[in-house]
Amino acid sequence: MTRFVFGDIHGQFDGLMRLLDFIKYDSDDKLFFLGDLIDRGSRSADVVQWIMDNGHTALRGNHEQMCLDAFGSTEGSLIWKGWLLNGGANTLESYGKEGLPIEHLKWMQQLPLYLDLGDSWLVHAGLNPNLPLELQGAAEFCWIREEFHSATEPFFDDKIIITGHTITFVFPGVKPGNLVLGKGWLDIDTGAYHPKSGWLSALDLDAAMVYQCNTFTNELRVNPLAEITTVIEPMPTRSQRLDVKKTNTPKRRWSWV
């Protein structure tokens, strides 16, 4: 049995199937998905159905949360329009005329926000390093970025946090397709849907190997985790960047996606 953790899929069903063939997926293997299964790609319905049918573990990402919020609001509301503009329209199209079934919505609703595997802690976006876990919820676990990436010390002493959510190439000096290692966390969202990257990643937790499929070129590759991971320093917070700007000191630039 091998444990694999998958980064954000975003409806890239064909890429997921190629990656599963590449890792020689066996029914005894344990597969964990970090959320954002849906939106932006063309086959979100197939991604959800396959994971449901095979009983694999998935976490709730911010795109599942947006979908749930949209269906919990009125059609045409700002919440609904916001989801559609952020990839929800692609998801609805993938379900066809019958629409998104209630069974899929119920399944998304019951997805856990994080999972403790003992040696690693899986979550979609991260956590707030300044708050205890019991005071945190979907706002942190599905959405957080800045506070998490600016942490100067690991949150856990005995395990690493593995996340998706933030495409790795937005960090300074990180090549498309590379993973990112921060203070106690590892980001494996390599941008499966994004034209600048296209890499979908699966991390073999036990062998520390990274398997990847490019959803645009169909290229397959495998590398030791250490060879395809860029180590970064804590990112400055917004207030720190403003302080730097006031002093006219050159600062790092990056963009979030």
Side-chain angles (χ1 to χ4, degrees), residues 8-216:
D8 303 21
I9 299 171
H10 280 300
Q12 301 293 332
F13 182 74
D14 294 334
L16 174 61
M17 292 299 106
R18 286 193 293 271
L19 188 53
L20 289 169
D21 287 340
F22 186 45
I23 67 175
K24 296 180 171 57
Y25 159 67
D26 184 274
S27 58
D28 291 332
D29 293 334
K30 295 286 188 180
L31 307 188
F32 304 96
F33 296 88
L34 292 177
D36 280 11
L37 310 173
I38 63 171
D39 295 351
R40 294 187 169 133
S42 63
R43 300 187 65 182
S44 293
D46 293 325
V47 173
V48 172
Q49 191 66 59
W50 188 88
I51 294 175
M52 290 177 63
D53 289 345
N54 289 276
H56 296 303
T57 300
L59 302 181
R60 191 192 312 172
N62 62 303
H63 281 263
E64 285 78 33
Q65 187 63 56
M66 282 193 290
C67 176
L68 292 168
D69 291 343
F71 276 90
S73 67
T74 57
E75 189 169 339
S77 66
L78 289 178
I79 294 174
W80 183 268
K81 291 178 180 178
W83 176 55
L84 295 182
L85 289 172
N86 282 282
N90 304 87
T91 295
L92 289 181
E93 185 177 354
S94 75
Y95 279 97
K97 294 181 180 180
E98 295 183 359
L100 202 157
I102 189 64
E103 291 80 8
H104 283 203
L105 287 173
K106 289 181 177 179
W107 182 78
M108 291 183 202
Q109 184 65 54
Q110 60 80 45
L111 293 177
L113 294 172
Y114 61 84
L115 183 65
D116 190 345
L117 298 182
D119 57 352
S120 55
W121 199 85
L122 311 184
V123 66
H124 177 65
L127 50 75
N128 190 325
N130 303 310
L131 292 175
L133 284 180
E134 59 269 21
L135 296 183
Q136 302 190 47
E140 290 80 21
F141 301 137
C142 294
W143 288 97
I144 201 166
R145 281 197 170 107
E146 188 172 85
E147 295 91 342
F148 178 63
H149 297 138
S150 64
T152 57
E153 298 293 337
F155 191 86
F156 298 110
D157 295 328
D158 59 346
K159 65 194 73 182
I160 189 167
I161 300 171
I162 302 178
T163 77
H165 188 50
T166 301
I167 299 179
T168 55
F169 67 66
V170 306
F171 292 96
V174 179
K175 297 189 302 182
N178 271 25
L179 279 58
V180 169
L181 180 66
K183 294 294 184 180
W185 56 267
L186 177 71
D187 183 351
I188 69 169
D189 176 14
T190 43
Y193 79 92
H194 201 290
K196 185 176 177 179
S197 175
W199 290 106
L200 174 62
S201 297
L203 169 63
D204 180 339
L205 282 176
D206 302 297
M209 300 292 290
V210 180
Y211 295 80
Q212 296 181 307
C213 171
N214 193 291
T215 62
F216 297 110

